Amino acid sequence: MFIASQNTTPAFKDLTLIMPAVAVGNVGQLAVDLLISTLNLPRVGYLHTDCLIPMAGNNPYATSQDDAGELHTAAEVYAAPELKIVVLQIRAPVVKTKSKRFRQLLLSWIKSNGFSRTLVLSSSHAYHRDDQQMQGTPLRYLVTPSLLKICGDAFKELGWKEMERVPVCPGRLERGTQEPRLYVPGGGITKSLYMDSCDEDVPLAVLLAFCSEGDNVPDALALVSHLDDWLHLLDNTNREAKWKIPTSWRLLFGSGIPPAIF
């Protein structure tokens, strides 16, 4: 699944893996873009799988004409051993019929590389929130029992809010119970990857933002800053001014209105 850029396969043991879930507003992917661009992370390889819709394009983090023509693909891996992080960027949707297989491949790769923890950046539809979820910050987290043992009270000390479980809607009983359930509408593989990680004892946390489709750059900035409250990858308090916007974001909303139409 993983193909290294160089002849030797990099060692990821005991590093932190950060990855997005393809979800509403692409917030997780935008946040990962900010990490890669700001920290100037080098590409060390890519994931080759038929579970993602094939795509290719120019270098999204180009700094000059010399590197602008580099070919980039649907799922690429970047690493900074000095920061103890590995970043997986996913740029294409998961094929619907292969979602389970993709999760299995991901977890297999995560376990075989010995990552100390995996952090998934994601999002969920804001309009699906219930009353309790509309209070306070739009940012939430989920953590597997195995990671909770490692982190202890870190999330409480940060003042983060855990994703609330919501009551099952009438007529939509889940496994014959009326107990509140985890509900992440618009989150792609977020919930299923989290549940799989709980079952397989994988140290994993999900950081997500409630959002709507549109200009989701502010959501991405809020989410990546939220992550940095924990990891301290940037040491400047005014972080919003320090996140480096990738060159590819110039075309985030297209190339503008052609003057000729006027």
Side-chain angles (χ1 to χ4, degrees):
M1 184 182 183
F2 175 76
I3 299 176
S5 298
Q6 306 298 327
N7 294 329
T8 57
T9 302
F12 297 145
K13 185 173 175 57
D14 296 328
L15 301 184
T16 295
L17 173 65
I18 304 171
M19 59 167 285
V22 181
V24 56
N26 306 108
V27 176
Q29 295 158 291
L30 293 173
V32 167
D33 263 353
L34 289 167
L35 277 175
I36 296 170
S37 180
T38 303
L39 301 176
N40 196 26
L41 301 180
R43 180 175 55 176
V44 297
Y46 63 94
L47 300 188
H48 178 68
T49 173
D50 62 355
C51 297
L52 296 174
I53 294 177
M55 62 79 62
N58 292 340
N59 185 1
Y61 315 114
T63 57
S64 66
Q65 289 295 328
D66 295 334
D67 63 354
E70 290 180 0
L71 185 65
H72 286 250
T73 58
E76 296 185 319
V77 180
Y78 300 77
E82 68 279 6
L83 296 174
K84 297 187 179 300
I85 63 168
V86 175
V87 177
L88 166 63
Q89 176 62 298
I90 301 174
R91 301 189 176 96
V94 181
V95 177
K96 289 184 178 180
T97 57
K98 297 181 179 180
S99 175
K100 182 177 181 180
R101 182 163 174 263
F102 182 61
R103 299 195 314 268
Q104 292 172 339
L105 288 171
L106 267 180
L107 289 177
S108 176
W109 181 65
I110 288 169
K111 290 190 287 187
S112 66
N113 279 281
F115 291 110
S116 62
R117 57 190 175 183
T118 299
L119 311 180
V120 180
L121 305 182
S122 185
S123 51
S124 183
H125 283 300
Y127 68 85
H128 274 284
R129 289 176 295 174
D130 69 356
D131 290 346
Q132 60 179 337
Q133 292 175 332
M134 295 182 71
Q135 300 176 15
T137 175
L139 302 169
R140 295 293 189 274
Y141 79 91
L142 291 165
V143 59
T144 62
S146 56
L147 182 56
L148 191 59
K149 292 177 185 177
I150 301 170
C151 295
D153 295 329
F155 299 110
K156 291 182 179 179
E157 292 170 0
L158 287 165
W160 288 6
K161 293 190 69 173
E162 187 173 6
M163 185 68 167
E164 300 89 346
R165 269 59 174 176
V166 298
V168 177
C169 297
R172 293 184 62 187
L173 299 183
E174 187 174 87
R175 297 177 184 175
T177 177
Q178 288 284 0
E179 291 296 319
R181 63 169 181 167
L182 179 62
Y183 187 46
V184 190
I189 66 170
T190 301
K191 176 184 173 181
S192 50
L193 183 60
Y194 167 75
M195 300 298 290
D196 291 345
S197 299
C198 289
D199 294 340
E200 299 189 30
D201 203 30
V202 173
L204 178 142
V206 175
L207 276 63
L208 65 84
F210 290 117
C211 70
S212 302
E213 293 280 7
D215 181 358
N216 296 105
V217 171
D219 300 308
L221 285 166
L223 186 61
V224 75
S225 296
H226 196 57
L227 172 69
D228 198 51
D229 286 339
W230 182 19
L231 300 187
H232 303 293
L233 298 172
L234 299 183
D235 56 5
N236 192 295
T237 53
N238 188 19
R239 288 167 304 182
E240 282 76 6
K242 290 295 183 179
W243 293 114
K244 181 181 177 183
I245 304 300
T247 53
S248 56
W249 284 20
R250 290 179 298 180
L251 300 177
L252 203 59
F253 300 103
S255 55
I257 300 173
I261 69 173
F262 300 106

